[in-house]
Amino acid sequence: MESLNLPGFAYKVKQVNGKPHIFDIIRRKFVSLTPEEWVRQHFIHLLITHYGYPKSLFAVETGMQYNTLAKRTDIMILSGNALPFLLVECKAPFVSVTDATFAQIGRYNFTLQPQYLAVTNGLNHYCFQAINGQIHFMDDFPKYRDFNPLT
């Protein structure tokens, strides 16, 4: 898999029907190792090891409704009362982060209304808050210790 602009981690890969699968510590199972999954797994480990988020607050590839469309969120960190706190949209490294990517996570924001949103393709990462229709980009991702998990 491609080298990313994210810290490495100890991962487990196995072949299933001749295709690589990587172990997801959140879903507790092996999942197909696509380029997007490679980014997702790196970002999950970044949030756990560098930002201190407990695994128990993660939801990965969770279904949601946007108007009449069924959508899936890549990574969602929940607050202590199960409300979205941080929503992360992952793209494969060869997919550029464009206005369309921000529009996609904006639609999810409209439905889920997390405090923070992030977009990554494993090479470029953006974190921001959407407050009263305004986007406020951040220099870094929020650390677990910096938010009240019960709100």
Side-chain angles (χ1 to χ4, degrees), residues 22-100:
I22 189 167
F23 188 76
D24 182 328
I25 63 171
I26 303 301
R27 292 178 275 185
R28 297 184 188 131
K29 66 180 183 177
F30 281 90
V31 295
S32 182
L33 180 52
T34 64
E36 182 178 317
E37 191 64 45
W38 184 241
V39 171
R40 182 176 17 254
Q41 291 305 312
H42 274 77
F43 212 82
I44 287 169
H45 285 269
L46 173 78
L47 291 172
I48 292 168
T49 60
H50 294 277
Y51 292 93
Y53 288 94
K55 290 187 279 187
S56 62
L57 296 181
F58 280 74
V60 175
E61 288 212 312
T62 303
M64 62 169 273
Q65 283 293 125
Y66 176 73
N67 290 331
T68 60
L69 302 174
K71 298 289 184 181
R72 286 193 168 280
T73 60
D74 286 322
I75 302 169
M76 186 167 33
I77 305 290
L78 302 170
S79 65
N81 59 1
L83 292 176
F85 174 74
L86 170 63
L87 183 64
V88 182
E89 176 61 28
C90 299
K91 298 294 183 190
F94 55 82
V95 175
S96 298
V97 176
T98 65
D99 288 343

Side-chain angles (χ1 to χ4, degrees), residues 2 7 14 21 25 33 37 47 51 58-59 83 92 99 101 103 129 131-132 139 142 145:
E2 185 171 335
K14 73 176 186 177
H21 284 64
I25 63 171
L33 180 52
E37 191 64 45
L47 291 172
Y51 292 93
F58 280 74
L83 292 176
D99 288 343
T101 312
Q129 287 182 288
I131 302 171
N132 298 325
D139 294 331
R145 70 172 188 258

Side-chain angles (χ1 to χ4, degrees), residues 76-145:
M76 186 167 33
I77 305 290
L78 302 170
S79 65
N81 59 1
L83 292 176
F85 174 74
L86 170 63
L87 183 64
V88 182
E89 176 61 28
C90 299
K91 298 294 183 190
F94 55 82
V95 175
S96 298
V97 176
T98 65
D99 288 343
T101 312
F102 288 106
Q104 179 182 5
I105 201 163
R107 287 187 296 274
Y108 296 167
N109 177 56
F110 182 77
T111 302
L112 299 171
Q113 299 181 340
Q115 290 183 31
Y116 298 96
L117 300 117
V119 175
T120 183
N121 65 1
L123 304 172
N124 300 296
H125 327 289
Y126 305 92
C127 187
F128 55 96
Q129 287 182 288
I131 302 171
N132 298 325
Q134 299 290 319
I135 300 296
H136 301 278
F137 282 90
M138 302 172 61
D139 294 331
D140 201 1
F141 299 96
K143 292 180 173 50
Y144 175 69
R145 70 172 188 258

